[in-house]
């Protein structure tokens, strides 16, 4: 799983609700500008291949089987979860397909999510509400801290209206990350 994404612009999308829609909107906008766009989302509805797409085309079955065959030893050695395997496969696929952008949806939370190994060009937190309280914490502040874990050093963060802006602003300030809300982008 030697994966080098340095030539791909990455967008990391977290939050409680609206992640999938945000990924779809961003993908559409960027494609309309003439770029090749990979999207990694979950869950899938009918077909596993919906999770990994390039310009809305699902990953090929042959790529999936060949990836697993080629990386079987390391997959078993690291005891990768289904999600970790899928995420690693998506990055490898985007590199092979020479995408310009990859939009990566957080699976659960943020701080400890497998996708949080990337250093994106921009991060987005769509909304924060109480969800997965048995894992992320019982208060909105605890949950926001977990989801705010995708905020990276000096990487711009855009947050939606249903977020504790003050708390996320503090995380961004600590990490010298430019902080934006939707109101910073008037229509």
């Amino acid at each position: 799983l030697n994966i080098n994404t340095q030539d791909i612009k990455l967008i990391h999308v977290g939050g409680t609700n609206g992640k999938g829609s945000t990924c779809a909107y961003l993908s559409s906008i960027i494609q309309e500008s003439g770029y090749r766009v990979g999207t990694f989302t979950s869950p899938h509805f009918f077909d596993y291949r919906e999770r990994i797409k390039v310009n809305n085309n699902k990953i090929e079955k042959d790529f999936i089987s060949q990836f697993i065959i080629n990386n079987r030893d390391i997959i078993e050695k690291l005891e990768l979860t289904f999600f970790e395997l899928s995420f690693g496969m998506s990055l490898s696929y985007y590199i092979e397909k020479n995408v310009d952008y990859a939009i990566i949806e957080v699976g659960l939370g943020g701080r400890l999510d497998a996708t949080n190994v990337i250093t994106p060009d921009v991060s987005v937190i769509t909304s924060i509400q109480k969800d997965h309280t048995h894992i992320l914490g019982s208060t909105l502040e605890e949950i926001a801290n977990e989801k705010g874990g995708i905020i990276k050093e000096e990487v711009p963060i855009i947050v939606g209206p249903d977020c504790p802006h003050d708390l996320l602003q503090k995380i961004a300030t600590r990490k010298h990350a430019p902080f934006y809300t939707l109101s910073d982008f008037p229509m």
Side-chain angles (χ1 to χ4, degrees):
L1 293 177
N2 185 10
I3 301 170
N4 181 355
T5 59
Q6 71 183 20
D7 294 331
I8 301 173
K9 292 179 180 11
L10 299 168
I11 301 172
H12 204 190
V13 180
T16 304
N17 296 310
K19 296 185 303 288
S21 298
T22 299
C23 291
Y25 293 141
L26 288 170
S27 177
S28 178
I29 291 166
I30 297 168
Q31 283 179 64
E32 287 297 316
S33 297
Y35 295 100
R36 290 180 59 76
V37 181
T39 53
F40 176 72
T41 58
S42 61
H44 61 275
F45 296 104
F46 302 106
D47 178 352
Y48 167 79
R49 298 179 312 128
E50 296 168 18
R51 293 172 177 252
I52 303 169
K53 295 180 183 178
V54 171
N55 285 5
N56 297 325
N57 296 309
K58 294 181 273 192
I59 187 172
E60 295 91 0
K61 291 177 184 178
D62 289 346
F63 185 93
I64 295 170
S65 57
Q66 201 58 53
F67 180 86
I68 293 171
I69 291 166
N70 292 344
N71 294 286
R72 182 177 177 177
D73 291 343
I74 195 154
I75 292 167
E76 290 175 353
K77 179 181 177 188
L78 296 177
E79 297 179 358
L80 296 178
T81 65
F82 173 80
F83 188 81
E84 292 166 338
L85 171 62
S86 299
F87 174 56
M89 184 187 317
S90 76
L91 294 179
S92 182
Y93 186 65
Y94 301 146
I95 290 166
E96 180 173 299
K97 294 298 182 181
N98 199 31
V99 301
D100 301 298
Y101 289 84
I103 302 166
I104 308 297
E105 180 184 349
V106 172
L108 176 76
R111 184 176 64 89
L112 299 175
D113 190 75
T115 64
N116 207 26
V117 298
I118 65 170
T119 301
D121 293 270
V122 65
S123 299
V124 177
I125 298 176
T126 58
S127 68
I128 296 179
Q129 282 115 33
K130 286 190 175 184
D131 68 327
H132 303 289
T133 54
H134 60 291
I135 296 170
L136 302 178
S138 59
T139 68
L140 197 58
E141 291 75 24
E142 290 172 322
I143 294 166
N145 271 316
E146 290 298 315
K147 293 184 187 281
I150 69 168
I151 300 172
K152 297 286 194 305
E153 193 73 32
E154 298 182 2
V155 173
I157 178 74
I158 303 169
V159 300
D162 295 328
C163 294
H165 290 167
D166 291 346
L167 190 144
L168 295 174
Q169 172 82 60
K170 286 178 186 171
I171 296 170
T173 299
R174 275 197 315 269
K175 295 187 178 186
H176 309 287
F179 182 86
Y180 302 97
T181 66
L182 291 182
S183 62
D184 294 321
F185 305 97
M187 296 297 171

